[in-house]
Amino acid sequence: MSLHDQLLADLDDLDGDDVEEEMDDNEDGDDDADDDVTAMDLTLAELKEDQTVKSIAKLADSEQLRRVLSSIEHFSALPERAIVGPIEEDDEYKLIVESNNLTAEIDNEIGVVHKYTRDQYAKRFPELEQLVRDPLDYARTVKLLHNDLDANQPGINEILAPATVMVVSVTASTTQGETLTEEELERVMEASDLILRLQAAKDTIFTYVESKMHILSPNVSHICGVGIAAKLMGVAGGLTAMSKMPACNILLLGSQKKVSAGFSAANTLPHTGHIFYSDLVQNQPPEIRRKAARLVASKLALAARVDAMRDPSITGPTVGVKLREEIEKKMERFLEPPPAKADKALPKPDDAPRKKRGGKRFRRIRDKYALTQAGKAANRMTFAELGEDEFQVEAQAQRVVKQKGQVRALEQRKKGGSISKRMQRRLQQESGLMTTLRNASVSGTASVSFTPLQGLEIVTPHLHDAKADDGKYFGAAKGFSQVKRS
């Protein structure tokens, strides 16, 4: 080997060591990230060493399962009775709580055995894992197909849908699987029988618990159903523990934390427990299911407290009936469309006089701008009287306007109103001016009047006074005079 070839070989060895170190680091990191490993994952890890299903599925033959099933058979044969005294001390109540907890373990056990069955039967029919997802249907299908993969057997239509049967039949004719040996086929059949046996035990427990729920918690069972009530009570740890929980915690009972690393989280439903999958919530539209689940959880909290009190005056699901009616009414209100926005008419115009403030200031302003007696007389209309000269009317109106301040001042004095000093000075000036004008009246001023006897008559008052004082004989103001003889 040349020096060049040796150098390349050394580089390949170094790269291989680096890759192994990186893989070891990744495995260590994964172990640190997955410290919270489920029991199913631990059991599946053991499948690499133990190939028999009994070595990994230990619950089916456990003493706990046999004892619970025998106790259920014993209490089922007894007549129904009312629970007297503290409910936590009753043997049947303890059995119900233990049975609820056991159902969760049975589900995990079925999942482990189902994984074992798929791994063993994938050698013969690897495509069946993708076509049939349900563990119970998968086990029944495997028991019918065996090594022959004959999908035309009469019993398969009772397990699968017709469309699925057709797909399984076509896929079985074109599969690349190999025929199983007798030992391998026996292990697969044993695992399938174990799945069916665990499912039968689970059904027996559920049937018993559901039959006793109307006695144990009638109000909770009436609201969410017997099955959901049994699951909630089993997860909560009993009726008393559930009655002490707030509604927000009851809503999350049964929720599972799913690891979605590397997968889309668009279809995940966080914070959804058993209540979310009850019929009362699932019958609602998807957009209000979360709101409906919160509503149901709040009512279940009240119903659980009523059931835990064991009040003898409350018989049957009387409270549960009322709470369920309230839930249905509120859900109907959720589905109602919003009220249509109608065209609002304009408001009625406010023609009424607005309220004005009173008081001394307001009264003073009202008296200042009030209509005078002269103004009222000028506005008064009379009938069946002779009219006056328009010229005289206009002159009289002007005179009234000039004397307006004086007349208003006189009226205010009569009414007892107060006059400001500025108004008093103005009235004094106007009264002095009017006196001057009256004293310095211009000669030649005359008035025209209509009389019924003489008709149109022109009257000059100052000429009349002058004639009266002219000192002539036969004057209106003169009498007989005596003449002295010379």
Side-chain angles (χ1 to χ4, degrees):
M1 182 182 293
S2 64
L3 182 61
H4 179 68
D5 295 336
Q6 292 179 1
L7 181 61
L8 292 177
D10 293 339
L11 291 175
D12 292 338
D13 293 339
L14 291 175
D15 293 340
D17 295 339
D18 294 339
V19 171
E20 290 178 359
E21 291 178 359
E22 291 179 359
M23 292 178 64
D24 294 339
D25 294 339
N26 292 335
E27 290 178 359
D28 295 339
D30 293 340
D31 293 340
D32 295 337
D34 298 333
D35 289 338
D36 224 356
V37 190
T38 59
M40 184 185 298
D41 296 333
L42 291 174
T43 310
L44 293 177
E46 297 174 359
L47 288 176
K48 298 178 181 179
E49 301 176 359
D50 301 326
Q51 298 297 325
T52 59
V53 68
K54 290 185 178 180
S55 61
I56 57 174
K58 301 178 181 180
L59 182 63
D61 298 331
S62 64
E63 180 65 25
Q64 181 185 7
L65 182 60
R66 286 197 297 268
R67 178 175 53 81
V68 169
L69 293 177
S70 60
S71 300
I72 288 174
E73 185 178 359
H74 169 70
F75 282 105
S76 298
L78 298 177
E80 292 186 359
R81 61 181 182 85
I83 299 177
V84 182
I87 190 173
E88 292 83 2
E89 302 297 332
D90 189 78
D91 294 337
E92 191 171 7
Y93 173 77
K94 294 179 181 179
L95 176 63
I96 292 173
V97 175
E98 186 180 4
S99 301
N100 278 326
N101 296 331
L102 191 60
T103 53
E105 298 180 10
I106 291 176
D107 289 335
N108 294 333
E109 191 84 358
I110 290 175
V112 172
V113 179
H114 174 58
K115 180 66 172 63
Y116 174 84
T117 308
R118 286 185 301 167
D119 294 342
Q120 295 294 325
Y121 198 68
K123 180 180 178 181
R124 181 68 185 93
F125 194 1
E127 295 85 1
L128 185 63
E129 178 182 350
Q130 302 295 330
L131 299 177
V132 182
R133 295 282 186 176
D134 185 67
L136 187 61
D137 294 340
Y138 187 88
R140 292 173 179 173
T141 305
V142 169
K143 288 181 67 63
L144 289 176
L145 295 179
H146 284 273
N147 262 335
D148 301 335
L149 301 184
D150 185 10
N152 296 323
Q153 299 183 21
I156 198 170
N157 292 323
E158 300 177 359
I159 302 173
L160 304 176
T164 307
V165 171
M166 184 179 297
V167 175
V168 169
S169 177
V170 174
T171 309
S173 61
T174 59
T175 185
Q176 300 295 329
E178 301 176 0
T179 304
L180 298 176
T181 62
E182 293 294 333
E183 296 179 357
E184 294 174 345
L185 184 61
E186 184 179 356
R187 287 198 294 267
V188 171
M189 294 298 109
E190 184 182 4
S192 300
D193 292 336
L194 184 59
I195 291 177
L196 298 178
R197 189 150 53 92
L198 289 173
Q199 184 65 31
K202 180 182 176 181
D203 294 341
T204 302
I205 293 174
F206 265 125
T207 303
Y208 169 73
V209 172
E210 290 177 358
S211 64
K212 299 298 181 180
M213 285 304 295
H214 69 278
I215 300 176
L216 186 62
S217 60
N219 296 295
V220 175
S221 302
H222 185 81
I223 293 176
C224 62
V226 179
I228 300 297
K231 292 179 181 178
L232 290 175
M233 195 174 302
V235 176
L239 180 61
T240 305
M242 182 178 174
S243 64
K244 297 178 181 179
M245 288 184 177
C248 58
N249 291 351
I250 295 177
L251 177 65
L252 301 179
L253 291 178
S255 62
Q256 297 179 357
K257 185 178 180 181
K258 298 181 181 179
V259 179
S260 59
F263 298 94
S264 175
N267 295 326
T268 58
L269 296 173
H271 307 294
T272 54
H274 294 310
I275 295 177
F276 186 81
Y277 298 100
S278 62
D279 295 338
L280 195 59
V281 177
Q282 291 296 318
N283 292 335
Q284 306 302 322
E287 59 270 11
I288 66 169
R289 284 178 183 173
R290 289 185 176 274
K291 194 174 183 180
R294 290 194 295 269
L295 177 61
V296 173
S298 63
K299 302 302 181 183
L300 283 177
L302 300 176
R305 293 164 191 171
V306 174
D307 291 335
M309 281 175 52
R310 317 300 299 178
D311 191 355
S313 62
I314 301 175
T315 57
T318 54
V319 179
V321 171
K322 295 180 181 179
L323 294 177
R324 187 179 177 91
E325 290 178 357
E326 293 178 4
I327 293 173
E328 293 175 352
K329 289 180 181 178
K330 288 187 178 181
M331 287 185 178
E332 291 178 359
R333 198 178 308 161
F334 294 160
L335 298 175
E336 290 179 358
K341 189 176 180 181
D343 296 335
K344 190 175 181 180
L346 294 175
K348 182 180 179 181
D350 190 8
D351 295 336
R354 294 181 297 175
K355 293 183 178 180
K356 298 180 180 179
R357 59 173 295 180
K360 183 178 180 181
R361 181 181 175 186
F362 173 72
R363 289 193 299 269
R364 186 166 59 248
I365 296 173
R366 182 186 60 187
D367 294 340
K368 181 178 179 180
Y369 296 102
L371 189 62
T372 61
Q373 295 294 335
K376 294 179 181 180
N379 293 335
R380 185 180 293 112
M381 297 180 62
T382 58
F383 297 94
E385 292 184 1
L386 293 176
E388 297 181 355
D389 188 8
E390 295 181 0
F391 178 77
Q392 297 294 330
V393 173
E394 184 177 357
Q396 182 68 19
Q398 293 178 357
R399 192 178 298 111
V400 169
V401 170
K402 291 179 180 180
Q403 297 178 356
K404 183 176 181 181
Q406 184 177 3
V407 173
R408 190 181 303 277
L410 291 175
E411 289 187 358
Q412 287 181 351
R413 292 194 189 96
K414 293 178 181 179
K415 295 178 180 179
S418 62
I419 304 175
S420 62
K421 294 181 179 180
R422 184 178 178 183
M423 190 64 181
Q424 290 177 1
R425 288 196 299 268
R426 182 179 175 185
L427 292 177
Q428 289 176 2
Q429 292 175 2
E430 290 182 357
S431 61
L433 179 59
M434 293 301 295
T435 305
T436 306
L437 291 175
R438 283 196 298 270
N439 294 335
S441 57
V442 183
S443 62
T445 303
S447 60
V448 181
S449 62
F450 294 90
T451 60
L453 298 178
Q454 298 178 359
L456 182 62
E457 182 181 359
I458 298 176
V459 179
T460 53
H462 64 281
L463 293 178
H464 184 270
D465 296 338
K467 287 181 181 180
D469 298 334
D470 57 357
K472 290 189 177 183
Y473 302 107
F474 307 108
K478 295 292 186 179
F480 292 97
S481 60
Q482 296 178 2
V483 181
K484 298 178 179 182
R485 293 181 181 181
S486 59

